[in-house]
């Protein structure tokens, strides 16, 4: 508590933070201010205090998230950054950011808040360390509604690449956070090319699963050819197989296709020399008539198994999303303000880290900080 919430300057804020955190960790049922007060057997008036702490108190959530991320990095062995989408269904239209969205795997639009979580994947699990609330529709143009929800002027309907790059920049600027690859699932991302281009321009390592229609540039810099990943991997020239043991639950080994020739990502509006050679891998489908799975990675010299092992970061993040929904109140925010939503998600992430982090590293233990 003392370390993570040091940026909360008022003793009253820290007391409510402790109460809210304790309720998220130990409570049952809905993690609303009223539910948390009831779980902690607090007076009825405490619900108002908790509500004010989340929705009215003007504390900055970024320093808290940064300290949580540093504690995770110091207490575990990180191996990747990754993202996962959190869809929060809503009945009304007044909660901040609510709009119609067709979620992955569904055919009908759902009324929801759509958010993007950023996770540090480690040997102890995948931990949420940042959140972005995706704003679409009226939340971009209705100034009265934006003012009521206290949405900052800088927060508009950014493309997915912008959210990812903003977080990548903030993580890279903090020397206490690890320089590990980005492992992303961009198969259904509407801005996959923008995400990949942003990673390339920043010189970050990555291994991203992409749709077979993702574009690549082949050929010499003076005579480039633009092709899709699917077309690229259909060519037998330069293609070689690699025998790989599949994930647990499968028998035998699988021949993964690797394209040995050079390919680059299209950086539209940039000189060819600013592009970057990438490696393309295909995991063939185990079902007839079904497409395979494709990865683009900047790790051109690494082992194939190590590159594909980064995919477990995404699986671990999805498991964390499910646990945040079921046990840490990620779906239970009842306020209508932008700061309130970020406050609640910050507390849910902190509670998850408190519950799941292993014992503190020796340096943290010596400082007197308890996990």
């Amino acid at each position: 508590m003392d370390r993570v919430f040091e940026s909360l300057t008022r003793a009253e804020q820290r007391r409510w933070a402790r109460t809210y955190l304790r309720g998220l960790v130990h409570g049952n049922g809905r993690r609303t201010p009223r539910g948390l007060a009831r779980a902690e057997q607090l007076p009825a008036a405490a619900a108002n205090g908790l509500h004010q702490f989340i929705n009215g108190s003007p504390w900055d959530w970024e320093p808290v998230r940064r300290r949580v991320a540093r504690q995770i990095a110091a207490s575990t062995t990180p191996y990747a950054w990754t993202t996962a989408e959190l869809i929060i269904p809503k009945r009304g239209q007044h909660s901040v950011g609510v709009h119609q969205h067709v979620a992955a795997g569904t055919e009908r639009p759902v009324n929801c808040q759509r958010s993007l979580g950023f996770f540090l994947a480690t040997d102890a699990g995948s931990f949420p360390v940042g959140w972005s609330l995706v704003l679409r529709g009226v939340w971009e143009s209705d100034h009265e509604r934006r003012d009521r929800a206290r949405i900052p002027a800088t927060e508009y309907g950014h493309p997915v690449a912008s959210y990812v790059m903003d977080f990548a920049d903030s993580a890279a600027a903090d020397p206490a956070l690890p320089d590990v690859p980005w492992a992303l699932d961009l198969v259904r991302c509407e801005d996959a090319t923008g995400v990949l281009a942003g990673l390339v321009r920043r010189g970050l390592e990555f291994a991203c699963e992409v749709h077979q229609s993702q574009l690549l540039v082949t050929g010499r810099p003076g005579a480039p050819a633009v092709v899709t990943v699917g077309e690229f991997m259909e060519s037998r020239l330069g293609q070689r197989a690699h025998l790989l043991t599949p994930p647990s639950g499968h028998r035998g080994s699988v021949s993964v296709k690797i394209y040995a020739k050079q390919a680059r990502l299209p950086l539209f509006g940039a000189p060819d020399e600013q592009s970057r050679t990438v490696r393309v891998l295909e995991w063939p489908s185990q079902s007839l008539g079904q497409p395979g799975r494709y990865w683009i990675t900047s790790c051109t010299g690494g082992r194939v198994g190590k590159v594909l092992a980064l995919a477990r970061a995404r699986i671990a993040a999805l498991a964390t999303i499910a646990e945040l929904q079921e046990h840490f109140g990620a779906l239970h925010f009842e306020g209508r303000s932008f700061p309130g939503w970020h406050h609640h998600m910050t507390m849910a992430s902190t509670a998850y880290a408190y519950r799941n982090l292993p014992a503190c590293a020796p340096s943290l233990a010596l400082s007197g900080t308890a996990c």
Side-chain angles (χ1 to χ4, degrees):
M1 282 295 304
D2 292 340
R3 185 180 185 89
V4 168
F5 292 101
E6 184 180 10
S7 60
L8 274 62
T9 56
R10 293 165 51 191
E12 182 182 8
Q13 289 177 324
R14 292 193 295 273
R15 284 198 300 269
W16 286 122
R18 180 184 294 274
T19 303
Y20 206 92
L21 180 66
R22 189 168 55 233
L24 288 173
V25 171
H26 300 297
N28 294 308
R30 291 184 61 82
R31 266 64 166 190
T32 62
R34 183 176 300 178
L36 296 179
R38 186 165 48 245
E40 290 295 300
Q41 298 181 345
L42 299 175
N48 293 330
L50 292 170
H51 178 86
Q52 172 66 19
F53 169 70
I54 292 297
N55 289 287
S57 185
W59 55 278
D60 188 353
W61 55 86
E62 288 295 349
V64 177
R65 292 177 180 177
R66 190 158 50 246
R67 289 177 182 276
V68 171
R70 290 173 179 174
Q71 181 118 346
I72 293 166
S75 305
T76 63
T77 303
Y79 66 86
W81 294 105
T82 191
T83 66
E85 192 174 62
L86 171 63
I87 299 298
I88 307 171
K90 292 290 182 179
R91 292 182 180 178
Q93 301 295 326
H94 300 291
S95 294
V96 60
V98 167
H99 63 281
Q100 296 285 311
H101 174 66
V102 180
T106 65
E107 298 180 358
R108 296 181 179 180
V110 59
N111 196 60
C112 66
Q113 290 171 317
R114 181 189 176 199
S115 62
L116 190 65
F118 298 93
F119 296 79
L120 185 55
T122 76
D123 60 336
S126 191
F127 292 87
V129 293
W131 296 94
S132 291
L133 185 62
V134 179
L135 301 174
R136 294 289 186 266
V138 296
W139 298 102
E140 298 178 86
S141 57
D142 190 330
H143 296 289
E144 183 179 348
R145 182 173 290 197
R146 287 175 58 88
D147 288 343
R148 283 201 306 266
R150 293 154 46 209
I151 299 175
T154 54
E155 288 290 337
Y156 275 89
H158 303 298
V160 172
S162 177
Y163 292 116
V164 176
M165 292 306 106
D166 285 348
F167 184 85
D169 288 340
S170 65
D174 190 338
L177 297 182
D179 181 16
V180 290
W182 280 80
L184 302 174
D185 181 358
L186 303 178
V187 175
R188 297 181 181 86
C189 177
E190 67 267 25
D191 193 24
T193 297
V195 174
L196 291 167
L199 294 171
V200 168
R201 287 191 172 100
R202 286 163 175 77
L204 300 173
E205 297 296 337
F206 60 87
C208 300
E209 186 174 359
V210 298
H211 192 268
Q212 60 184 353
S213 63
Q214 175 62 44
L215 296 179
L216 291 171
V217 178
T218 62
R220 299 186 305 275
V226 179
V227 298
T228 67
V229 167
E231 293 168 341
F232 186 68
M233 294 305 288
E234 285 178 0
S235 172
R236 295 185 178 276
L237 181 63
Q239 191 181 107
R240 55 191 175 89
H242 179 89
L243 205 61
L244 186 70
T245 302
S248 59
H250 297 266
R251 295 181 178 179
S253 298
V254 174
S255 180
V256 177
K257 296 179 182 178
I258 310 168
Y259 202 88
K261 293 278 187 176
Q262 288 189 352
R264 304 186 305 281
L265 289 168
L267 297 182
F268 300 110
D272 285 342
E273 58 267 21
Q274 289 186 13
S275 189
R276 186 176 182 181
T277 301
V278 295
R279 191 181 200 180
V280 183
L281 293 79
E282 178 185 358
W283 186 293
S285 172
Q286 304 301 302
S287 303
L288 292 176
Q290 296 297 317
R293 298 172 65 182
Y294 301 89
W295 280 267
I296 293 178
T297 178
S298 62
C299 306
T300 55
R303 300 194 310 273
V304 175
K306 183 177 180 179
V307 171
L308 290 180
L310 290 173
R312 75 185 192 273
R314 164 74 175 175
I315 298 172
L318 292 176
T320 299
I321 286 283
E323 195 169 350
L324 286 168
Q325 291 174 317
E326 185 173 356
H327 299 297
F328 296 94
L331 303 180
H332 297 162
F333 173 64
E334 291 185 340
R336 295 181 178 181
S337 73
F338 183 87
W341 184 87
H342 275 282
H343 287 161
H344 177 74
M345 293 306 299
T346 299
M347 296 303 298
S349 300
T350 305
Y352 182 87
Y354 180 91
R355 173 70 67 83
N356 290 283
L357 272 180
C360 284
S363 60
L364 295 176
L366 288 174
S367 70
T369 301
C371 280

